[in-house]
């Protein structure tokens, strides 16, 4: 009976350390942040209020002034987005508005809009093709970035009146408001991108599926490969311009030196980021980079929930491919040791019974 009591004490203390002490230690090592929120308006305003509170507590005038202006600008931005989102969109007009306002820098190859000038760049960084943007980015984020890219992407400390954001927009008035005409134009542009985004993404996935199905893999292997590659496509579209995943043989589309000049630091290889940070951290970081890591050079991406899930799933597949197998084996090992403990206890009683 004494052995069972000792075993019970070990189980209890191990459980306290594993489920109590260790999570608590991790929680104290990292600043507490709110959960992932795809209501960008609510999340941005709440975070701006938190930053203003911290600035007031610091007592530094420059920080207070910056945080106060950021909160005011954030409320104005999302009020404008609400106005745009309430409008009915015209896809054909949106294509024309895109050509007039965006096509000098951005391509939409899926719809054969490829007139963008490669000579126009942001410090050597060519602007991305937006064919799939309507499928992977949040619609209201696309509206916000069209109005104030620095504030929408959370890099407004780097870009300001003295150092304008390289993505030039002219939809807002000097007082930060938006005219009815410009609001309709932005609504139409986002409506146009939404109208082609899903088809563009499905076309990429169909091409991948056809190539895989033409190979010599088994049916199960083909299904697994297609599922993996579909998630990789989302990663490439959302993150692949800047980040390597060398474990998967993937190299960023933009030169690392140019990225360092543009962003101030070289974006890291993400091969094992899932093991280093965990999926909860990645979800929070992708959802709002500055909230999770204040001062980071990485802008907020603005992915919708499904696209974000696909990006994290891809990084998990590459960086922690044995996760499911490891977790399954863990339960089996626990069951094995539980059975072994029972047998050992029974064997011990049998031996001692004969001795006495």
């Amino acid at each position: 009976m004494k052995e069972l009591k000792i075993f019970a004490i070990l189980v209890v203390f191990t459980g306290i350390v594993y489920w109590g002490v260790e999570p608590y230690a991790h929680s104290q090592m990292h600043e507490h942040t709110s959960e992932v929120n795809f209501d960008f308006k609510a999340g941005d305003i709440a975070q701006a209020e938190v930053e203003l509170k911290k600035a007031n507590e610091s007592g530094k005038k420059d920080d207070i002034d910056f945080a106060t202006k950021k909160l005011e600008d954030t409320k104005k931005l999302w009020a404008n987005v609400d106005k745009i989102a309430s409008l009915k969109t015209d896809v054909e007009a949106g294509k024309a508005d895109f050509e007039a306002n965006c096509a000098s820098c951005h391509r939409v190859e899926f719809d054969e809009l490829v007139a963008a000038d490669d000579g126009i760049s942001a410090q050597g960084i060519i602007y991305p093709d937006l064919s799939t943007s309507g499928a992977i980015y949040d619609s209201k984020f696309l509206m916000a970035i069209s109005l104030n890219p620095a504030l929408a992407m959370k890099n407004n400390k780097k870009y300001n009146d003295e150092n304008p954001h390289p993505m030039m927009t002219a939809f807002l008035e000097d007082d930060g408001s938006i005219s009815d005409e410009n609001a309709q134009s932005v609504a139409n542009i986002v409506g146009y991108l939404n109208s082609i985004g899903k088809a563009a993404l499905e076309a990429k996935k169909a091409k991948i599926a056809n190539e895989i199905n033409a190979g010599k893999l088994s049916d199960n292997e083909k299904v697994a490969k297609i599922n993996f590659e579909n998630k990789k496509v989302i990663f490439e579209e959302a993150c692949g311009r800047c980040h390597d995943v060398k474990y998967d043989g993937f190299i960023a589309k933009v030169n690392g030196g140019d990225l360092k000049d543009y962003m101030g630091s070289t974006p890291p290889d993400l091969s094992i980021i899932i093991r280093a940070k965990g999926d909860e951290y990645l979800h929070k970081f992708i959802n709002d980079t500055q909230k999770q890591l204040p001062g980071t050079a990485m802008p907020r991406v603005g992915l919708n929930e499904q696209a974000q899930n696909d990006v994290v799933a891809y990084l998990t597949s590459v960086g922690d491919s044995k996760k499911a197998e490891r977790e399954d084996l863990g339960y089996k090992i626990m069951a094995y040791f539980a059975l072994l403990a029972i047998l050992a206890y029974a064997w011990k009683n049998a031996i001692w019974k004969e001795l006495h």
Side-chain angles (χ1 to χ4, degrees):
M1 196 66 186
K2 183 186 296 185
E3 291 84 356
L4 284 178
K5 291 179 180 178
I6 294 173
F7 180 72
I9 291 171
L10 287 174
V11 169
V12 169
F13 276 97
T14 301
I16 290 173
V17 172
Y18 187 78
W19 284 293
V21 176
E22 187 178 8
Y24 176 76
H26 279 288
S27 72
Q28 297 306 303
M29 289 169 63
H30 301 287
E31 182 177 2
H32 292 275
T33 56
S34 57
E35 295 302 314
V36 172
N37 187 357
F38 291 96
D39 180 349
F40 291 112
K41 174 185 177 181
D44 285 3
I45 292 174
Q47 184 61 22
E49 290 173 342
V50 168
E51 292 173 6
L52 178 57
K53 181 180 178 181
K54 289 181 179 179
N56 285 327
E57 291 172 351
S58 75
K60 297 178 181 178
K61 186 177 183 303
D62 289 345
D63 290 347
I64 294 172
D65 290 343
F66 179 85
T68 299
K69 185 176 187 304
K70 181 178 179 180
L71 178 57
E72 293 172 354
D73 290 345
T74 298
K75 289 180 176 178
K76 285 182 182 178
L77 173 63
W78 288 106
N80 289 331
V81 170
D82 284 342
K83 177 179 179 179
I84 295 167
S86 69
L87 300 174
K88 184 177 180 180
T89 62
D90 182 331
V91 172
E92 289 302 318
K95 182 175 181 178
D97 286 332
F98 181 92
E99 291 185 85
N101 293 283
C102 315
S104 61
C105 298
H106 291 285
R107 290 176 170 79
V108 181
E109 290 190 8
F110 180 76
D111 204 23
E112 299 180 351
L113 295 181
V114 292
D117 183 358
D118 283 342
I120 301 176
S121 64
Q123 296 172 264
I125 309 302
I126 304 300
Y127 292 93
D129 183 290
L130 298 182
S131 296
T132 64
S133 60
I136 66 175
Y137 296 110
D138 179 84
S139 292
K140 289 188 175 181
F141 175 77
L142 289 177
M143 296 172 187
I145 200 175
S146 299
L147 303 180
N148 190 335
L151 189 57
M153 291 192 288
K154 299 295 188 77
N155 50 13
N156 53 310
K157 276 196 172 181
K158 178 179 180 180
Y159 297 110
N160 47 46
D161 294 338
E162 290 74 33
N163 182 32
H165 195 281
M167 179 180 168
M168 305 300 291
T169 65
F171 292 112
L172 294 179
E173 305 298 321
D174 291 339
D175 63 356
S177 63
I178 189 169
S179 67
D180 292 344
E181 180 182 0
N182 283 347
Q184 186 63 64
S185 180
V186 174
N188 290 341
I189 289 171
V190 175
Y192 164 66
L193 293 176
N194 287 341
S195 72
I196 65 169
K198 185 176 181 180
L201 186 58
E202 290 304 316
K204 286 179 176 287
K205 290 181 177 180
K207 181 179 179 181
I208 289 170
N210 289 337
E211 291 174 353
I212 293 173
N213 286 326
K216 297 181 180 181
L217 299 175
S218 69
D219 289 344
N220 288 338
E221 289 173 332
K222 287 178 180 178
V223 170
K225 182 68 172 175
I226 289 171
N227 183 52
F228 173 81
E229 292 295 335
N230 283 348
K231 290 177 173 57
K232 183 176 179 178
V233 165
I234 305 300
F235 175 86
E236 290 179 354
E237 293 293 303
C239 318
R241 297 178 68 246
C242 300
H243 290 284
D244 297 335
V245 184
K246 291 178 181 176
Y247 276 24
D248 192 34
F250 181 82
I251 303 298
K253 298 176 183 177
V254 180
N255 178 272
D258 291 337
L259 285 168
K260 185 175 182 179
D261 292 340
Y262 174 53
M263 301 183 70
S265 61
T266 302
D269 184 301
L270 299 182
S271 294
I272 58 171
I273 191 69
I274 190 70
R275 297 294 297 272
K277 297 295 186 180
D279 57 357
E280 181 181 3
Y281 180 95
L282 284 185
H283 275 291
K284 286 186 175 183
F285 185 71
I286 295 170
N287 185 248
D288 190 339
T289 54
Q290 293 298 327
K291 180 175 70 175
Q292 193 68 7
L293 187 62
T296 180
M298 178 175 164
R300 194 253 298 278
V301 184
L303 296 179
N304 59 40
E305 186 171 4
Q306 182 59 57
Q308 181 169 305
N309 288 339
D310 286 343
V311 167
V312 175
Y314 166 70
L315 292 173
T316 300
S317 296
V318 174
D320 197 4
S321 60
K322 300 294 184 180
K323 181 180 179 181
E325 183 179 338
R326 184 176 67 251
E327 290 177 346
D328 181 60
L329 182 61
Y331 290 119
K332 292 177 181 177
I333 290 174
M334 290 173 66
Y336 168 77
F337 277 110
L339 178 60
L340 185 63
I342 293 171
L343 293 175
Y345 181 72
W347 177 77
K348 175 259 181 189
N349 280 346
I351 296 296
W352 278 68
K353 183 178 180 180
E354 293 180 3
L355 292 176
H356 292 284

